[in-house]
Amino acid sequence: MTAPIDPSTTTAPRLNRTRRHRPSAVWRLHVLASADPRHVGQVIELPPGTTVLGRRPDPAASAICIDDALLSRNHASLTVVGDDTVAVCDIRSRNGTYANGHKVGSGHVGSGAVLRVGDTVLVLELDPQLHSGYARSTAAVPGVSVAARAVRAALHAASADLLPVLLGGETGTGKELAAVEVHRLSGRKGPLVRVNVTALPEALFEAELFGHARGAFTGAVAAAPGRFREANGGTLVLDEIGDLLPTQQPKLLRVIEDRIVRGVGANVDIALDVKVVASTHIDLPGAVVAGRFRQDLLARLLGHTVAIPPLRLRRADLIALADAVRKPRQGFASWSDALDADVVELLALAPWRDNLRELRRLLVQLDERLGKTGLGLSDLPDGPWLEALATQTEPPSAASPGALPLPAPPPRATDPKRHVLSQSPPRADLLALLAQHRGDIRLIAEALHRDRRQIYRWLASAQIGLDVIAAHRSVVATKD
């Protein structure tokens, strides 16, 4: 493969072009998986015009050589059409070219597309070349994608003053890590104090946040400073601020606005030197319109706003995020070494509704199954990441030398207890198999001598969804 590009530079070696002809935005390929581990993690810039991908492409200024035995000599071409699409064309390859899980002859894809050629998985990304000074991956915001660079740049700006910071994003996107990063970048000498405001009892809300004097209420046997004063000189992180009760919001507003606090039962105001970082998964402007959140409190929180993107919009960072969340065991340096191309492709296409939290759960399960030879698709536990199989066509595969063809399947079985080997099993037989094997797709695949991907495709074509599969499992659990 061509030499990797340092994301912090704007020069791509071995591609014939000059800086003065450089467009304002460029297309890049992020290598997530490859038969040659040296290629993994490379970022390759596509020049204007057409670039050929292959194992030994014809000599040309715009060619990418990939050391992958499953690739044809000239496997596929990528043509930059403009600032919104790239044309993908298969060049009569042996194993096909895949875009977002679908086999393609020719077509157009946009930024974020997952491409598969042989055992190489690539993510295509349009890079406007902004925030080039924040290209270095960090523990809090790993990866070199456009989204990662933008978040790192925003966190740097948010840490430069005392204005409040509002971190937004879906659940599980890593807002906690972003808050820690703001504190680290700010260089503040005081402590980092975190509090989930929704976990505070309503009756003790003020006392917990603002402190209280001795004897201020029943049980106040000693004075307490409260979370704001504990964070004096440092940073206070208010998690899930969008879930504050209407009665609690004005109490918090005064402290953030005036930077003074008075404990419950006290008669002295205390000045604060606190950097406030608030996080929420709720659309606060929408909550204001709905009357659930105060406009004036939102205005105070909007000193800096940083949106943490969901995992499905950071496909190029999948491996970097996985390594940051949980390193694999068994001596593997990275999940790129522990997972084969089928698994990487599938995970890159997964919906990831719980984002990093869901990724962490999966990695824990994969770690338990990890052996010295790594993991393939058959090792994946059932979960939402398998939804991507519903619309996929058959991926490329390499037959072993001298392998015999599969025997012709017998006639379709009408007895639900018999194994169905038809290429298009009727819906009734699939339901019977689910009942027979208690909704365990792994057992069905083993019984039919088929890949689990094929089982999921059959179920999807028969309009048997994940809810039906889960129902068969829950029935068994109830009986047990």
Side-chain angles (χ1 to χ4, degrees):
M1 185 178 287
T2 53
I5 289 180
D6 183 348
S8 64
T9 69
T10 56
T11 303
R14 297 177 64 181
L15 293 178
N16 186 21
R17 56 191 180 280
T18 60
R19 184 180 296 275
R20 63 176 181 171
H21 294 120
R22 188 176 192 82
S24 59
V26 297
W27 289 90
R28 301 187 191 276
L29 287 172
H30 296 257
V31 185
L32 295 189
S34 177
D36 187 342
R38 295 174 299 176
H39 300 329
V40 177
Q42 290 187 358
V43 184
I44 306 167
E45 184 176 313
L46 293 179
T50 299
T51 300
V52 176
L53 286 72
R55 187 162 47 91
R56 292 186 180 87
D58 296 333
S62 299
I64 299 175
C65 179
I66 305 175
D67 187 12
D68 186 337
L70 291 183
L71 263 63
S72 300
R73 177 175 178 178
N74 295 295
H75 195 101
S77 67
L78 301 176
T79 303
V80 176
V81 178
D83 287 345
D84 54 354
T85 59
V86 169
V88 180
C89 180
D90 182 77
I91 312 177
R92 298 184 298 276
S93 66
R94 291 177 302 159
N95 293 315
T97 300
Y98 294 77
N100 294 330
H102 300 276
K103 189 173 184 179
V104 296
S106 62
H108 290 75
V109 295
S111 186
V114 178
L115 306 179
R116 171 80 179 269
V117 287
D119 270 341
T120 300
V121 180
L122 310 153
V123 174
L124 183 68
E125 185 178 54
L126 180 62
D127 186 353
Q129 302 192 95
L130 301 175
H131 315 301
S132 59
Y134 300 95
R136 187 178 298 276
S137 181
T138 65
V141 189
V144 296
S145 68
V146 171
R149 296 204 314 265
V151 171
R152 286 194 287 268
L155 294 179
H156 272 79
S159 65
D161 52 43
L162 265 180
L163 290 175
V165 181
L166 180 61
L167 302 174
E170 297 176 7
T171 180
T173 52
K175 295 186 289 294
E176 308 90 347
L177 292 175
V180 174
E181 185 76 343
V182 170
H183 177 67
R184 184 186 71 83
L185 293 171
S186 71
R188 296 178 64 78
K189 304 303 182 184
L192 172 69
V193 178
R194 295 183 53 184
V195 55
N196 186 330
V197 294
T198 60
L200 299 177
E202 185 176 4
L204 299 177
F205 178 80
E206 291 181 78
E208 289 285 341
L209 285 182
F210 313 140
H212 60 82
R214 179 182 178 182
F217 51 85
T218 302
V221 296
R227 304 300 177 86
F228 270 90
R229 290 175 61 188
E230 287 176 4
N232 214 12
T235 304
L236 178 65
V237 182
L238 302 173
D239 290 327
E240 304 301 341
I241 199 169
D243 294 318
L244 275 178
L245 297 174
T247 55
Q248 298 170 332
Q249 295 174 27
K251 301 171 184 177
L252 189 60
L253 171 64
R254 177 178 177 271
V255 177
I256 294 177
E257 181 176 10
D258 298 337
R259 295 187 181 279
I260 59 173
V261 66
R262 177 181 293 191
V264 176
N267 53 13
V268 177
D269 290 335
I270 298 175
L272 294 172
D273 174 24
V274 175
K275 173 82 169 178
V276 175
V277 179
S279 70
T280 182
H281 66 281
I282 291 176
D283 173 21
L284 289 187
V288 169
V289 174
R292 298 191 304 271
F293 203 82
R294 292 177 63 107
Q295 173 65 52
D296 49 3
L297 177 55
L298 176 60
R300 299 302 183 276
L301 294 173
L302 293 178
H304 297 277
T305 58
V306 181
I308 311 299
L311 182 52
R312 63 182 175 276
L313 298 182
R314 297 185 59 188
R315 292 172 171 175
D317 296 329
L318 174 66
I319 297 299
L321 288 167
D323 287 341
V325 166
R326 182 186 179 92
K327 282 282 190 180
R329 59 184 181 88
Q330 292 289 353
F332 291 99
S334 167
W335 284 104
S336 63
D337 303 322
L339 305 176
D340 69 13
D342 285 333
V343 176
V344 173
E345 179 192 23
L346 194 63
L347 298 187
L349 293 171
W352 298 115
R353 295 182 181 89
D354 288 333
N355 297 291
L356 295 181
R357 191 170 293 123
E358 187 175 14
L359 177 61
R360 183 179 293 108
R361 289 198 300 266
L362 172 61
L363 295 179
V364 169
Q365 293 177 287
L366 292 180
D367 224 3
E368 296 172 351
R369 305 179 182 194
L370 191 57
K372 295 182 179 180
T373 58
L375 300 174
L377 196 65
S378 61
D379 299 304
L380 271 181
D382 291 336
W385 38 86
L386 294 175
E387 293 179 15
L389 293 173
T391 58
Q392 280 190 6
T393 51
E394 195 66 26
S397 60
S400 301
L404 296 176
L406 288 174
R412 179 177 63 84
T414 55
D415 183 353
K417 296 182 180 180
R418 296 181 60 187
H419 301 320
V420 180
L421 294 178
S422 168
Q423 290 297 318
S424 301
R427 190 174 191 274
D429 285 355
L430 290 172
L431 291 173
L433 284 165
L434 283 173
Q436 176 186 350
H437 295 285
R438 302 184 173 188
D440 192 322
I441 304 302
R442 182 190 295 272
L443 293 179
I444 296 175
E446 291 175 354
L448 302 185
H449 304 290
R450 290 294 189 270
D451 195 290
R452 291 169 69 201
R453 292 157 68 108
Q454 186 61 60
I455 305 300
Y456 275 100
R457 280 191 286 271
W458 285 343
L459 293 171
S461 65
Q463 297 184 341
I464 300 174
L466 295 177
D467 55 337
V468 178
I469 300 172
H472 281 83
R473 294 172 183 163
S474 63
V475 168
V476 173
T478 301
K479 290 181 178 179
D480 294 344

